Amino acid sequence: MGINTPETGKCLADKAQEKLSSLVLGKNITLQDQFTDPYGRVMANVFVDSKYINKEMLLSGLGRM
């Protein structure tokens, strides 16, 4: 929620997907403030333990507000 990452086929899209996968795949995640946008996408603040994944994507340079 509140973070845009490159869309499939765009520059850095593969790197953004790899980064997100490394942060969440196989881990217990918590979604807060979850809703579905008009395009059917789930929007949420995402946490793994106390790590705020949305912020991690920003800090990695692979997401923007």
Side-chain angles (χ1 to χ4, degrees):
M1 178 163 61
I3 306 297
N4 288 315
T5 58
E7 295 187 28
T8 301
K10 301 290 183 182
C11 183
L12 297 177
D14 291 340
K15 287 189 180 280
Q17 184 176 13
E18 289 171 16
K19 177 65 175 177
L20 183 59
S21 293
S22 75
L23 292 169
V24 301
L25 275 182
K27 300 175 180 154
N28 291 320
I29 64 169
T30 301
L31 301 179
Q32 293 182 354
D33 307 314
Q34 180 179 342
F35 67 94
T36 303
D37 76 2
Y39 301 100
R41 301 174 296 191
V42 174
M43 301 285 128
N45 289 306
V46 182
F47 295 87
V48 172
D49 298 321
S50 62
K51 186 183 284 188
Y52 185 34
I53 302 304
N54 304 48
K55 182 178 179 181
E56 293 296 316
M57 292 301 290
L58 287 174
L59 293 174
S60 72
L62 296 169
R64 60 183 173 86
M65 294 180 84

